[in-house]
Amino acid sequence: MTSPLQLPPAARPGDALSSIDTPALLLELDAFERNLDRMQAAATAAGVALRPHAKAHKCPAISLAQIQRGAVGICCQKVSEAFPFANAGVQDILISNETVGPAKAALAAELARHCQLTVCVDHESQIADLAAASQAVGSQMALLVEINIGQNRCGVTDAPAVLALIEQIQRHPQLRFKGLQAYLGSIQHVRGHEERRAAAAGAAERTAAVVAALRQAGHACEVITGGGSGTVEFDLASGVYTEVQPGSYIGMDADYGRNDFTGTLHFEHALFLASSVMSVGNGERTVVDAGLKSLTLDSGLPLVWGHGQVSQQLSYSAASDEHGIVQLLSPEAERPALGTQLWLVPGHCDPTFNLHDEVIAVRAGRVEAVWPIAARGLSR
Amino acid sequence: MTSPLQLPPAARPGDALSSIDTPALLLELDAFERNLDRMQAAATAAGVALRPHAKAHKCPAISLAQIQRGAVGICCQKVSEAFPFANAGVQDILISNETVGPAKAALAAELARHCQLTVCVDHESQIADLAAASQAVGSQMALLVEINIGQNRCGVTDAPAVLALIEQIQRHPQLRFKGLQAYLGSIQHVRGHEERRAAAAGAAERTAAVVAALRQAGHACEVITGGGSGTVEFDLASGVYTEVQPGSYIGMDADYGRNDFTGTLHFEHALFLASSVMSVGNGERTVVDAGLKSLTLDSGLPLVWGHGQVSQQLSYSAASDEHGIVQLLSPEAERPALGTQLWLVPGHCDPTFNLHDEVIAVRAGRVEAVWPIAARGLSR
C-alpha cells in the first residue's frame, strides 16, 4: 500500500540537545578533545608511541581524530573489527589478540592488502594458518608474540616459548617477528593510585625480563606494546613499553571514574547516554527509557550526570531491557518531570558503544556531527 | 588503491556447522519449531490469544513463523523497534510500553498508517501527544492503559486512575480505549513451580479486581494482556487474560533454564552462541572467542552446551570484552583442542539477540537460513 517505513535520524547536525530522540549515545566534544590532547601530550613527552585501542569505541571518526593528533595507528581486538577502520583510511593496525583457524587467517591476509597489519600469536598453529593465508593472496604481515604477564588469558609463559614461536615465524618470508604484546587488563581498575602503580610496575618487570632474555638470545623487540587507560601514566614512565594501547580515556566510564587518578594524567567523562523520563506513576516514581539494550551492566550501573558532574540528587538503581529506575538520593531532591532528558554515564564504555549504530557528537548545546559506529557488532 | 574491504558472510545456507565463522548466534530450528508449536497449541487450547513478544529476538522471520502458526500479532517494546516488523508484513502490533513526547508520538502515528497499532499509556500527557500526532497524519490507534500489578515500574495504581485516562482517551475520535496491559516481569524467574504459580495467581487477582471495577463503571476491556514465558502456563489458565505475551520461549536461555518447569508446558534450548577455542596456553587453559560483545551477563554467565544438554564437563567461568574463560568441571574432563567450536547457552536471550545483526538458522548439521535481526539496536 504505502512505501516502506523509514526511521528519521535521532539527531541532525545543528539540532538543540533537547530535540535528540532518546535513548542516544552522546560524545561531548570539548571534553573528548581535551582527553585526546592530554594523552597525546603525555605520550609525546615520554617518547612512547600512542596506539589507541579502537575496541573501546568502534568508531572510525574517533580513530582519525587520534591519528591526526599523533597516534601511530590503532589497535583492534578482532580481525573483522578492523575492516571499517581500514576502509576509513587507518593505515597501521594491530590486532592485539590471537586469531584461530584458516577462515580468520584469510580475513587477516585480505586486511593486510589494505593496511600495514600486525597480528598477535601465542601458538604455532596460528602462525601456520597466517603464513598460508598470506602466501595465498600475496600479503605480508608482522607478528607480535603475546606473553602472559598475569592475566592468565592468552599469551605464552616465558622467553623460551617466545623463542620457539620466533623460530616458526622466521620460516615464512611473508611474516616478520616484530616484538611483544604484554597487556594486563585486570590491573586497570585497581582503585588506589599507589596500588595501581605497584601492580603496573610488576607487569612491566615481568615484561622486561622476557625482553632481556630475548635480547640475550639475539632477538631485538622493535615493539613492546601494552597498557590501558588505568595504568597508562605508569606504562609511559616504565622505560619498558615502546607503545601504549589505552582506549577508554576518550570518554571514560563510571567504572574508570571509581579509580583514584591522583597522578599527573587524568581524563574527563565525555561519553553519555541521553535518556528521557517516560513514566512517573503518581509522581512517586522516575522511570527512564534506557535499560540493558542501551547500556551494559557488566561493570556496574550507570551514574546520573547533571550540571557537569555526577548527580548528588539522582541515582540509577535498576535496569530492565528498556527501562531504568531512578531514585532520589535525598529528601530535598526534586523528581524530574515526565519527558525530562537525563544524561547517564555508562558503567563500561566498550560494550556500551557496541550497542549503538552511531554516536552523536555534541558541543556547546548543539549537535555537531553524527558519527557511525561502523565496527559495531564485528566480533569475528 | 584497491576496492573497499568487504566482510564475507559468517555462514551461507548449506554450510556445515563446522564452517560457521565464530562468534555467531545460532537458532536450532527443530527445537525452535517445537517451542513454537507447543506454545500455540497451549494458547489455542485455552482459548487465549497468543501475541508473542518480539523484543526477545527483534527478528521479523521469527515473528512471521509465529503468526503463521496462529499468533494474532506481536508485541514490541519500543516504537522504533516495530518499524522493521511492519515493513516485513506484520499487521497487528502492540507497543507494550509507554512513549513520551511529540517526537515518539509522531513515530507511532506514522507506524499506525502501516499496521493496526495499539500503544500503552499511563499518563494523560502521553494521550495528548498521541492524539495530536495521529490527527496530524490522519491515523487511528487503540490504547491500553497499563496497570501496575507489582512491578513498580510503569502503570497506574488503580481503577479510578484507569477511568480518568479512559475519559481523556474518549475525547479523541482517532484514539480508542481497548483494555489493559498488566505485566509483572519480576515473577517470571521465580524458580519453584508452585511459588511461581502463586505469584502469577496474585498478579491475575490484582488485574481481575481492576477489570471488575471498570466493568462496574460501564467500561468493558476488549483486551487484557500480559504474562511471559515463565508464567504463561498459569496466565493461560487464569481466566483473566484474553491474551499472553511470552517472548523467550522461542529459544530459552540459561536464566529461564534455572526455573523449575514441572507443569504441562516446557520449552527447549534452541538459541546458542557458537564460539571457538582461540588460545590454550601450554595446554592448561581454554579461552574462547566470545565475551561481553557476543553475549550479555546481566542474568548470569552462559552455559556450555554439548551432546544435546548442558555440559557436565565444561563451565564458562569469566568473560572479558571478546574472550571467555572455560574451566574443566572434573579431573576426567578433556580440554578441547585449539580451534574447537563450543556452543554456549546465553544467560539472557533478549539483550544477546540485540548484539547480533543476524541469527543463523541451523537444522540437522547444516545452515538452513541466515535471518536478519532487523530491529537490533532500535530502542527509540
Side-chain angles (χ1 to χ4, degrees):
Chain A
M1 53 183 211
T2 39
S3 55
L5 279 157
Q6 281 205 310
L7 267 181
R12 293 179 177 86
D15 281 356
L17 301 186
S18 58
S19 72
I20 295 171
D21 199 17
T22 62
L25 195 65
L26 309 186
L27 195 62
E28 214 288 301
L29 287 175
D30 286 336
F32 162 75
E33 291 172 0
R34 285 193 295 270
N35 288 341
L36 263 52
D37 289 337
R38 275 181 202 136
M39 184 66 87
Q40 187 60 57
T44 302
V48 171
L50 175 63
R51 181 184 292 278
H53 217 305
K55 85 180 182 75
H57 53 75
K58 290 175 168 275
C59 172
I62 293 177
S63 290
L64 294 174
Q66 292 167 317
I67 290 167
Q68 196 192 5
R69 283 169 173 78
V72 297
I74 64 168
C75 302
C76 289
Q77 194 73 334
K78 294 289 185 90
V79 177
S80 65
E81 187 177 67
F83 275 47
F85 291 93
N87 281 339
V90 176
Q91 286 163 13
D92 186 329
I93 300 179
L94 162 62
I95 311 297
S96 57
N97 196 9
E98 284 69 26
T99 65
V100 65
K104 284 195 174 55
L107 293 183
E110 180 61 21
L111 180 62
R113 297 178 57 233
H114 291 71
C115 66
Q116 250 183 280
L117 184 68
T118 307
V119 179
C120 292
V121 294
D122 71 356
H123 193 282
E124 60 180 14
S125 80
Q126 297 152 357
I127 297 168
D129 286 338
L130 291 168
S134 297
Q135 190 170 33
V137 299
S139 57
Q140 308 241 326
M141 61 181 81
L143 301 186
L144 301 181
V145 177
E146 180 165 5
I147 57 172
N148 176 15
I149 54 169
Q151 183 89 344
N152 297 326
R153 197 172 67 182
C154 301
V156 302
T157 307
D158 52 21
V162 178
L163 289 168
L165 293 182
I166 292 176
E167 195 181 311
Q168 296 294 321
I169 295 168
Q170 289 178 333
R171 294 183 184 185
H172 306 286
Q174 68 276 36
L175 305 180
R176 179 170 72 89
F177 170 70
K178 195 178 177 188
L180 299 178
Q181 161 80 10
Y183 176 66
L184 185 43
S186 58
I187 65 173
Q188 300 302 319
H189 292 88
V190 168
R191 298 305 181 202
H193 190 259
E194 279 313 306
E195 290 79 1
R196 210 162 59 251
R197 178 200 299 276
E205 258 172 55
R206 289 188 285 281
T207 303
V210 176
V211 174
L214 295 181
R215 193 182 302 121
Q216 196 86 15
H219 292 285
C221 292
E222 178 188 332
V223 166
I224 301 148
T225 182
S229 295
T231 59
V232 66
E233 179 181 348
F234 317 123
D235 303 324
L236 288 174
S238 68
V240 174
Y241 295 98
T242 67
E243 185 179 281
V244 291
Q245 309 178 352
S248 303
Y249 75 98
I250 59 158
M252 300 302 279
D253 54 34
D255 197 28
Y256 267 119
R258 286 183 278 272
N259 273 13
D260 176 15
F261 285 105
T262 49
T264 52
L265 204 48
H266 69 280
F267 302 98
E268 302 171 53
H269 289 300
L271 181 70
F272 304 99
L273 195 282
S275 69
S276 297
V277 177
M278 58 168 288
S279 184
V280 295
N282 286 321
E284 83 289 14
R285 291 197 302 269
T286 302
V287 182
V288 296
D289 62 354
L292 295 174
K293 289 181 179 163
S294 302
L295 40 77
T296 72
L297 300 195
D298 53 88
S299 299
L301 291 163
L303 301 169
V304 180
W305 189 252
H307 307 294
Q309 59 178 11
V310 174
S311 174
Q312 305 301 307
Q313 306 249 308
L314 301 173
S315 159
Y316 185 108
S317 63
S320 44
D321 278 9
E322 297 280 18
H323 298 88
I325 307 295
V326 172
Q327 308 277 3
L328 303 192
L329 286 173
S330 78
E332 298 80 46
E334 262 185 54
R335 285 207 179 270
L338 192 68
T340 303
Q341 197 180 94
L342 281 189
W343 286 20
L344 309 172
V345 179
H348 187 183
C349 68
D350 303 35
T352 296
F353 264 104
N354 191 46
L355 294 173
H356 295 269
D357 290 314
E358 50 198 27
V359 59
I360 298 170
V362 305
R363 194 193 310 266
R366 292 272 158 193
V367 174
E368 185 165 307
V370 179
W371 288 340
I373 302 173
R376 196 222 69 73
L378 299 183
S379 283
R380 290 158 60 196
Chain B
M1 51 180 211
T2 40
S3 55
L5 278 158
Q6 280 204 311
L7 265 182
R12 294 180 177 85
D15 281 356
L17 301 186
S18 58
S19 71
I20 296 170
D21 197 19
T22 62
L25 195 65
L26 309 186
L27 194 62
E28 213 289 300
L29 287 175
D30 286 337
F32 163 75
E33 291 172 0
R34 286 193 295 271
N35 288 341
L36 263 51
D37 290 337
R38 275 181 203 135
M39 184 65 88
Q40 186 59 57
T44 302
V48 171
L50 175 61
R51 182 184 292 278
H53 217 305
K55 85 181 181 75
H57 53 76
K58 290 176 169 274
C59 172
I62 293 178
S63 290
L64 294 173
Q66 292 168 317
I67 290 167
Q68 196 193 5
R69 283 168 172 78
V72 298
I74 63 168
C75 302
C76 289
Q77 195 72 332
K78 293 290 185 91
V79 176
S80 64
E81 186 178 67
F83 275 47
F85 291 93
N87 281 339
V90 176
Q91 286 164 14
D92 188 328
I93 301 179
L94 163 61
I95 310 298
S96 58
N97 196 10
E98 284 69 26
T99 64
V100 65
K104 285 196 172 55
L107 293 183
E110 181 61 21
L111 180 62
R113 296 178 59 232
H114 291 72
C115 67
Q116 252 183 278
L117 183 68
T118 307
V119 179
C120 292
V121 294
D122 71 355
H123 193 281
E124 60 181 16
S125 80
Q126 296 151 357
I127 297 168
D129 286 336
L130 290 168
S134 299
Q135 190 171 34
V137 299
S139 58
Q140 309 241 324
M141 62 180 81
L143 300 187
L144 301 180
V145 176
E146 180 165 7
I147 57 173
N148 176 16
I149 55 170
Q151 184 88 345
N152 296 326
R153 195 172 67 182
C154 300
V156 302
T157 307
D158 51 21
V162 178
L163 289 167
L165 293 182
I166 292 175
E167 195 182 309
Q168 297 294 321
I169 294 168
Q170 288 178 333
R171 294 182 185 184
H172 306 286
Q174 67 277 34
L175 305 181
R176 179 170 73 88
F177 170 71
K178 195 178 178 189
L180 299 178
Q181 162 80 10
Y183 175 67
L184 186 43
S186 58
I187 66 174
Q188 300 302 321
H189 293 87
V190 169
R191 298 303 180 202
H193 190 258
E194 280 313 307
E195 289 78 1
R196 209 161 60 249
R197 179 200 299 276
E205 258 174 54
R206 288 189 285 280
T207 303
V210 176
V211 173
L214 295 180
R215 194 182 301 122
Q216 196 87 13
H219 292 285
C221 292
E222 179 189 330
V223 167
I224 301 148
T225 184
S229 295
T231 59
V232 66
E233 181 181 347
F234 317 123
D235 303 324
L236 288 173
S238 68
V240 174
Y241 295 98
T242 67
E243 185 178 283
V244 291
Q245 309 178 352
S248 303
Y249 75 97
I250 59 159
M252 300 302 279
D253 55 33
D255 197 29
Y256 266 119
R258 286 183 278 271
N259 273 12
D260 175 17
F261 284 105
T262 51
T264 53
L265 204 49
H266 69 280
F267 301 98
E268 302 170 53
H269 289 301
L271 182 70
F272 303 99
L273 195 282
S275 69
S276 296
V277 177
M278 58 168 287
S279 185
V280 296
N282 286 321
E284 82 291 11
R285 292 197 301 269
T286 302
V287 182
V288 296
D289 61 354
L292 295 174
K293 288 181 180 165
S294 301
L295 40 78
T296 70
L297 300 194
D298 52 90
S299 298
L301 290 163
L303 301 168
V304 180
W305 189 251
H307 308 292
Q309 59 178 11
V310 174
S311 173
Q312 305 301 306
Q313 306 249 308
L314 301 174
S315 159
Y316 185 108
S317 63
S320 43
D321 278 8
E322 297 281 15
H323 299 86
I325 307 296
V326 172
Q327 307 278 3
L328 303 191
L329 286 173
S330 78
E332 297 82 45
E334 262 185 56
R335 285 207 179 270
L338 192 68
T340 303
Q341 198 181 92
L342 281 189
W343 287 20
L344 309 172
V345 179
H348 187 184
C349 67
D350 304 35
T352 295
F353 264 105
N354 191 46
L355 293 173
H356 296 270
D357 290 315
E358 49 196 30
V359 59
I360 299 171
V362 305
R363 195 193 311 267
R366 292 270 158 196
V367 174
E368 186 165 307
V370 179
W371 289 341
I373 302 173
R376 195 221 69 74
L378 300 182
S379 283
R380 287 158 61 193

